[in-house]
Amino acid sequence: MTDTDTTTTDADWSAWQESWDRQQEWYMPDREERFRIMLDMVEALVGPAPRVLDLACGTGSITARLLARFPDATSTGVDLDPALLAIAEGTFAGDERVSLVTADLKDPHWTAKLPHDSYDAVLTATALHWLHREPLAALYGQVAELVRDGGVFMNADHMIDDSTPRINAAERAQRHARMDQAKARGVLDWAEWWQLAARDPLLAEPTARRFEIYGEHAEGDAPSAEWHARVLREKGFGEARAVWSSPSDALVLALK
């Protein structure tokens, strides 16, 4: 491969990362804020050179921000999606701080594929709502075993308080109105982004495999932040609570 070819390939992966970020921000305009708070709490609790497990890592959004802020950190990204992992592999190719693992978090033995037995921090964002409560609680038990004493787990995701239905309905209506306005300006939604990926020569095959695995969409649960915190304490964490929230989402931190 020539130097020119290498540059083109790198630019393509960078463009796909940027495209993924913009598509995700259509759903979550405050996406960067939750990442910032997440990394603030990593630094506060385990320092600036953590060993991190990026859980359900996708394209490596958390890992990219982790390494930009903490150059001495290391990250293991784990996911099952072959298309998003292809983008992550292209993005972090040659970076010895990053290792990527293909594993199904519903497989009770997925942790055996990891390169380390313990981590300073396990981080995840906008991914575990694909799981229903029972498998999510089981996953939290496995995560508790991976986090070292004094280490942290953080999950930023859709977390809905069902005790406030009128507030929820008003927030949802306003959010979707804003999304419709952005859509009219040409922002890609989830389905359109995947249509683009399916037409890309490098991503067409892994995208096809991705839909064989997941189908069009998977529906899980979005329990409240209080539910997440309670279950995390039940599964072995000493402390757990929300450290950031928006009207529809929250970042829950659990300390081992």
Side-chain angles (χ1 to χ4, degrees), residues 96-118:
E96 295 182 353
R97 298 171 297 176
V98 180
S99 56
L100 296 168
V101 174
T102 300
D104 184 351
L105 298 182
K106 293 181 181 179
D107 179 350
H109 305 296
W110 70 270
T111 59
K113 296 185 176 182
L114 300 177
H116 305 291
D117 293 330
S118 69

Side-chain angles (χ1 to χ4, degrees), residues 8-17 19 82-84 86-87 90 192-209 211:
T8 301
T9 302
D10 289 344
D12 286 345
W13 294 127
S14 177
W16 276 112
Q17 286 283 3
S19 177
L84 298 185
I87 296 173
E192 291 167 333
W193 190 90
W194 281 109
Q195 289 169 10
L196 281 182
R199 294 196 295 267
D200 184 273
L202 293 174
L203 291 177
E205 190 273 335
T207 295
R209 285 192 285 120
F211 281 97

